[in-house]
Amino acid sequence: MQADFNRLQNFVASVFESIGTPEIQAQLAAEVLVSADARGIDSHGVARLAGYVRLFDHGRLNPNPQIKIVHESPSTAVIDGDKGLGLVVAPYAMEIACEKAEKAGTGWIAVRNSNHFGIAGYHAMKALNHQMIGWAMTHAAPLVTPTFSREKLLGTNPVAMAIPALTEPAFVADFASTAVAYGKLEILQRKGLNTPDGWVQDAEGNPCNDAFAIKNGGALLPLGGDREHGSHKGYALGAMVDILSGVLSGANFGPWVPPFATAGFMSAGESVGIGTGHFLGAMRIDAFRPADEFKKDMDKWIQRFRSAQAVEGKQVIIPGDPERELEVERKAHGIPLLEPVVRDLETLANRFNVPFILA
Amino acid sequence: MQADFNRLQNFVASVFESIGTPEIQAQLAAEVLVSADARGIDSHGVARLAGYVRLFDHGRLNPNPQIKIVHESPSTAVIDGDKGLGLVVAPYAMEIACEKAEKAGTGWIAVRNSNHFGIAGYHAMKALNHQMIGWAMTHAAPLVTPTFSREKLLGTNPVAMAIPALTEPAFVADFASTAVAYGKLEILQRKGLNTPDGWVQDAEGNPCNDAFAIKNGGALLPLGGDREHGSHKGYALGAMVDILSGVLSGANFGPWVPPFATAGFMSAGESVGIGTGHFLGAMRIDAFRPADEFKKDMDKWIQRFRSAQAVEGKQVIIPGDPERELEVERKAHGIPLLEPVVRDLETLANRFNVPFILA
């Protein structure tokens, strides 16, 4: 099915309103969630809507949170999300980051007591309109083994950074600290195919090619894959994200990060902090250099890299280019939804008596 | 040869003094440089001393720089290193970062007009004594191809982060954004061995196993190796480091970053900014959480990861553990130096008439 972008976003907002989210917050949450579908990161979009509702059903999500600053300095704050939607808590935190950066040059917000925040890139990009560089990170429930570990201790822990240019579109990096996104395993599972080397390991910690490895006690591997190819670097990067999102905010961390709501995997388990955490930042360009000079140099950086001599049949890509192009295309011509996702959305429409007209 | 740590450091300081570096700065530069040897990152230690002297010989290094702040806000500054040793400019910048963090919560310094700064980890660790998290990044001359590129546009661009704990030693990540350090290629070159897959490509951009690939027009690959294994993530990380170190500071960037002084590769070439850049940061822990609570949680993080069930015969390693253990060992029992490095140092000793007693 091909869903119209605006209708899909309105439908999502209606579902969030149905569980008690105030209208403006529901619209914001829908915007963040559907931006993932528009940008081609389908695993983080409306495919997760039923999961957010399950979090609500199990008392792990507060639909009308009192988000508050619990501690701050001129360039920092810790925010308690009051068990709210990360889709709402993170934009709030990012606004504080930009306000702090306006005065102090930079703003850095550690968030606790939140939930899954959608795609990191959305939040980082919020800084662009303020002539700022945006940062966004989040930890997530453990699916990843540190180098040499058999135990899953880290999430896919993404890092995003958005950097404005002058005439060129912004540089937008947004990547998990793993060799591959979990969504790519799901595609292979559906096709009955094996994974390439270096993506997953089995329950004993041996390299394997089983697309179902995680369900069988195995794990995703950190970026790098194995020690010889630098997996200790992917592990270190994922650890940095976990410590900034979890330890610095007072949230849970490492293996204690609560799972997203997938069937049979509901309980948050033992706790060493408060909920899930994120780490967001904004850096005002002209706290370093005149913004126009910087942006002119970014144009030069982008043009030089984009026009680099490439291997035959390929082109060097600027981080953010493919997602931006897809966003234009999908906003104009619709968002493709898989059958199981459509069925999930229909179930929600029936439950909440929300009109289900997406095309 | 096994060199005594203190004697080696004094020798290095004498050489820096001989080219006109003031005594205190020469001692600092020696401390930074030899810390690389002590921590086992031999490629960034005294093996490079002759290179720094060649930079001086070719007018690219100012031994007595007037380092100055050219722009600042409460939590940021841009520092011009006046062509000084990165080994001196970066510690100066890191002090400013910590002073700013003392007042504003965090401090972020973009540095331009500097030179190679040794190991990133040294600088990040300077924040630890102030109850702060330290960050250090630097770009470097192009040896690395973005995904799909045949042209080398990025350096090995490392990221370091040091995070204090309470009873446990600090977490210290320090890693290049490439699949492998250039020093590992040199080891294979000496042994006449090929590289594993995923480390290098040839001049046409094809994967290859030639340890001399770079000398033959090839390149180091970003962390991830190839697209299927996430090289676009290593490329994005290296690009972030380049933009923060180069574009944000007003230094050169991308393929224009001036080379370190290796024979036949002296000229800085076309320029799009001023010299080489770094990016350093300090975050005061209690600008987020009471430092003791945070450090207790870091202990828990470290102990949980270190004691994780490991693959047979292995142990999960906390970033920084191997380097710290080696540092203790080498400070006590000496630093092994390869024959060609000893010969380089002897040449410097003769040229500057500096006593050469290292053992």
Side-chain angles (χ1 to χ4, degrees):
Chain A
M1 164 176 197
Q2 199 82 356
D4 174 73
F5 174 79
N6 289 316
R7 286 184 170 175
L8 184 61
Q9 195 166 303
N10 289 337
F11 172 78
V12 172
S14 301
V15 171
F16 281 131
E17 277 192 71
S18 299
I19 61 170
T21 308
E23 187 184 347
I24 290 176
Q25 291 188 17
Q27 281 170 353
L28 173 61
E31 179 185 317
V32 180
L33 194 70
V34 180
S35 79
D37 296 287
R39 294 175 68 80
I41 308 153
D42 302 356
S43 56
H44 285 52
V46 294
R48 291 197 182 234
L49 182 59
Y52 287 101
V53 173
R54 273 196 299 272
L55 281 178
F56 169 74
D57 289 339
H58 287 77
R60 286 184 47 207
L61 176 69
N62 179 358
N64 190 8
Q66 303 305 309
I67 307 168
K68 60 176 183 287
I69 296 178
V70 292
H71 187 68
E72 64 184 318
S73 81
S75 73
T76 68
V78 170
I79 281 176
D80 187 303
D82 194 23
K83 288 208 295 185
L85 284 163
L87 306 167
V88 169
V89 176
Y92 178 89
M94 200 63 198
E95 269 181 38
I96 310 277
C98 292
E99 279 170 27
K100 295 215 170 256
E102 205 59 67
K103 290 182 201 147
T106 65
W108 304 91
I109 316 295
V111 178
R112 70 185 186 207
N113 206 9
S114 183
N115 274 294
H116 195 278
F117 76 6
I119 51 170
Y122 176 94
H123 306 296
M125 288 169 73
K126 278 291 154 189
L128 295 174
N129 298 331
H130 303 270
Q131 313 278 9
M132 293 179 188
I133 294 172
W135 296 65
M137 307 176 194
T138 188
H139 61 191
L143 288 178
V144 183
T145 41
T147 305
F148 301 139
S149 177
R150 289 169 59 177
E151 288 187 86
K152 295 185 274 290
L153 299 177
L154 290 170
T156 50
N157 297 7
V159 176
M161 195 169 171
I163 307 174
L166 194 63
T167 61
E168 295 288 339
F171 171 109
V172 182
D174 180 3
F175 56 95
S177 51
T178 50
V180 73
Y182 186 69
K184 295 222 173 144
L185 293 187
E186 292 176 315
I187 292 169
L188 296 178
Q189 288 168 6
R190 278 196 292 274
K191 295 184 179 168
L193 295 174
N194 281 335
T195 73
D197 292 341
W199 287 18
V200 287
Q201 69 180 24
D202 68 16
E204 278 70 48
N206 300 312
C208 77
N209 304 88
D210 177 9
F212 294 92
I214 294 177
K215 288 175 184 165
N216 299 326
L220 277 176
L221 294 173
L223 178 58
D226 59 22
R227 179 64 177 77
E228 186 172 76
H229 295 89
S231 69
H232 54 299
K233 303 178 182 190
Y235 156 40
L237 185 63
M240 287 158 56
V241 172
D242 186 45
I243 292 167
L244 291 172
S245 301
V247 186
L248 197 56
S249 69
N252 288 286
F253 48 82
W256 295 286
V257 177
F260 193 73
T262 51
F265 194 41
M266 295 304 311
S267 156
E270 189 199 348
S271 195
V272 296
I274 309 173
T276 297
H278 321 301
F279 186 74
L280 300 145
M283 304 167 72
R284 182 157 50 80
I285 299 294
D286 62 12
F288 294 91
R289 282 182 78 189
D292 265 16
E293 280 180 27
F294 173 87
K295 288 158 85 177
K296 251 182 240 169
D297 277 349
M298 275 308 296
D299 276 2
K300 189 180 284 184
W301 193 102
I302 289 169
Q303 287 156 6
R304 179 67 183 87
F305 278 64
R306 191 179 280 138
S307 64
Q309 244 196 319
V311 298
E312 221 185 307
K314 298 287 185 184
Q315 209 210 326
V316 175
I317 291 166
I318 305 303
D321 273 2
E323 294 82 4
R324 188 188 62 254
E325 285 161 16
L326 201 61
E327 191 169 1
V328 171
E329 149 75 21
R330 289 187 166 184
K331 281 186 172 171
H333 301 111
I335 290 174
L337 297 179
L338 295 175
E339 247 333 280
V341 174
V342 174
R343 280 198 301 274
D344 268 9
L345 299 182
E346 274 173 346
T347 306
L348 294 169
N350 290 333
R351 171 172 167 189
F352 296 117
N353 199 20
V354 169
F356 188 68
I357 308 160
L358 300 188
Chain B
M1 162 175 200
Q2 199 82 354
D4 174 74
F5 175 79
N6 289 317
R7 286 185 170 174
L8 184 61
Q9 197 167 302
N10 289 336
F11 172 77
V12 171
S14 301
V15 170
F16 282 131
E17 277 193 71
S18 300
I19 60 170
T21 307
E23 186 183 348
I24 290 177
Q25 291 189 17
Q27 280 170 354
L28 173 61
E31 180 186 317
V32 180
L33 194 70
V34 179
S35 79
D37 296 287
R39 293 174 69 80
I41 308 155
D42 301 356
S43 56
H44 286 52
V46 295
R48 288 196 183 235
L49 183 59
Y52 287 101
V53 173
R54 273 196 298 271
L55 281 177
F56 169 73
D57 289 339
H58 287 75
R60 286 183 48 208
L61 177 69
N62 177 358
N64 191 8
Q66 303 305 307
I67 308 168
K68 58 177 183 292
I69 296 178
V70 291
H71 187 68
E72 65 183 317
S73 80
S75 73
T76 68
V78 170
I79 281 175
D80 186 304
D82 195 21
K83 288 207 300 185
L85 283 163
L87 305 167
V88 170
V89 176
Y92 178 89
M94 199 63 197
E95 269 181 40
I96 309 277
C98 292
E99 279 170 28
K100 295 213 170 258
E102 204 59 68
K103 291 181 202 149
T106 64
W108 305 91
I109 317 294
V111 178
R112 70 184 187 207
N113 206 7
S114 181
N115 274 295
H116 195 279
F117 78 5
I119 51 170
Y122 176 93
H123 305 296
M125 289 169 72
K126 278 291 153 189
L128 294 173
N129 298 331
H130 302 271
Q131 313 278 10
M132 293 181 189
I133 294 173
W135 297 64
M137 307 175 194
T138 188
H139 61 190
L143 288 178
V144 183
T145 42
T147 304
F148 301 140
S149 177
R150 289 170 59 178
E151 288 187 83
K152 295 186 274 289
L153 299 177
L154 291 169
T156 51
N157 298 7
V159 175
M161 196 171 170
I163 306 174
L166 195 64
T167 61
E168 294 289 339
F171 171 107
V172 182
D174 180 4
F175 55 95
S177 51
T178 51
V180 73
Y182 185 70
K184 294 221 174 143
L185 293 188
E186 292 177 314
I187 293 168
L188 296 179
Q189 288 168 4
R190 279 195 292 273
K191 293 183 179 168
L193 295 174
N194 282 335
T195 72
D197 292 341
W199 286 18
V200 287
Q201 68 180 24
D202 67 17
E204 278 70 46
N206 300 312
C208 77
N209 304 89
D210 176 9
F212 293 93
I214 294 177
K215 288 176 185 165
N216 299 327
L220 278 175
L221 294 172
L223 178 59
D226 60 22
R227 180 64 179 76
E228 186 172 74
H229 295 89
S231 69
H232 54 302
K233 304 179 181 190
Y235 154 41
L237 185 63
M240 286 158 56
V241 173
D242 185 45
I243 293 166
L244 291 172
S245 302
V247 186
L248 197 57
S249 69
N252 289 286
F253 48 81
W256 295 286
V257 177
F260 193 74
T262 51
F265 194 43
M266 295 303 311
S267 155
E270 191 199 347
S271 194
V272 296
I274 308 173
T276 296
H278 322 301
F279 186 74
L280 300 145
M283 303 167 73
R284 183 158 50 81
I285 300 293
D286 62 12
F288 294 91
R289 284 181 77 189
D292 266 16
E293 281 180 27
F294 173 87
K295 287 157 86 177
K296 251 181 240 170
D297 277 348
M298 275 308 297
D299 277 2
K300 189 179 285 185
W301 193 101
I302 289 168
Q303 287 155 8
R304 180 65 183 87
F305 277 65
R306 191 179 280 138
S307 65
Q309 244 196 316
V311 298
E312 221 185 306
K314 297 288 184 182
Q315 209 210 328
V316 175
I317 291 167
I318 305 302
D321 273 1
E323 294 82 4
R324 188 189 62 255
E325 285 160 17
L326 201 61
E327 191 169 0
V328 171
E329 149 75 21
R330 288 187 167 184
K331 280 186 172 172
H333 300 112
I335 290 174
L337 298 179
L338 295 175
E339 248 332 281
V341 173
V342 174
R343 278 198 303 273
D344 269 8
L345 299 182
E346 273 172 347
T347 305
L348 294 170
N350 289 335
R351 171 173 167 187
F352 296 116
N353 201 18
V354 169
F356 189 68
I357 308 160
L358 300 188

